[in-house]
Amino acid sequence: MSAAQATSNKEIFRHFHEAVNSGDAEIISKTFDEVVAPDVLFHAPVPSEATGLQALKDVWAVLLRAFPDIHVAIEDLIAEGDKVVSRNTVTGTHLGEFRGLPPTGRSITYNEIFIVRLDGGRVVEIWGVVDTLSQLRQLGAIPA
């Protein structure tokens, strides 16, 4: 895989990332349709029984309801071969139900790392590690 391909994969990832930071469910859905394979393998906790692209859309529907101002800041973006790795800091205000918790109005900040594999200009596989312990502590669901 060439350096040009790694750069192209980073640009596709950035396009995906800009969509999620738009806060607009329609833009997110449209962009996911453009850059994510319908049968994407999604290796992360999913709040629904859905699979593939629908599972990814469901995750973002839950996040947007819970944290309408959610923002994902890329701290590191590394591309090699057919993979892009992103280390992120996520911020938001808890204004909607999340994991059974009623809105608290609390601001949260947590970290995550995602690895995406691309093929033919589309995301075909995603692995995610999200600091849910920090999320739940900040929301008061578990003791600090």
Side-chain angles (χ1 to χ4, degrees):
M1 183 111 1
S2 69
Q5 185 62 48
T7 299
S8 173
N9 286 346
K10 274 184 165 179
E11 290 308 313
I12 292 164
F13 184 86
R14 281 192 180 102
H15 179 56
F16 174 96
H17 183 262
E18 287 168 6
V20 300
N21 276 335
S22 72
D24 184 319
E26 198 170 312
I27 290 172
I28 293 170
S29 181
K30 181 176 178 269
T31 302
F32 286 3
D33 287 342
E34 290 171 13
V35 301
V36 179
D39 58 349
V40 63
L41 296 174
F42 190 38
H43 309 283
V46 178
S48 76
E49 297 300 313
T51 59
L53 179 57
Q54 190 57 53
L56 185 60
K57 288 181 178 184
D58 289 353
V59 165
W60 275 95
V62 166
L63 289 172
L64 285 173
R65 273 194 308 274
F67 309 101
D69 62 345
I70 192 167
H71 183 265
V72 182
I74 296 175
E75 306 296 344
D76 287 302
L77 188 63
I78 302 161
E80 184 173 326
D82 60 353
K83 293 187 178 84
V84 176
V85 179
S86 181
R87 181 178 65 85
N88 307 315
T89 300
V90 182
T91 56
T93 309
H94 184 216
L95 301 176
E97 183 275 329
F98 182 68
R99 295 180 180 257
L101 298 171
T104 62
R106 294 181 180 181
S107 294
I108 65 165
T109 300
Y110 62 91
N111 299 308
E112 62 184 19
I113 296 174
F114 276 86
I115 302 169
V116 299
R117 185 171 63 84
L118 295 100
D119 185 26
R122 291 175 79 104
V123 175
V124 296
E125 197 161 7
I126 301 171
W127 296 265
V129 178
V130 178
D131 186 358
T132 53
L133 178 61
S134 181
Q135 275 180 344
L136 295 174
R137 278 187 174 151
Q138 291 175 62
L139 295 174
I142 55 174

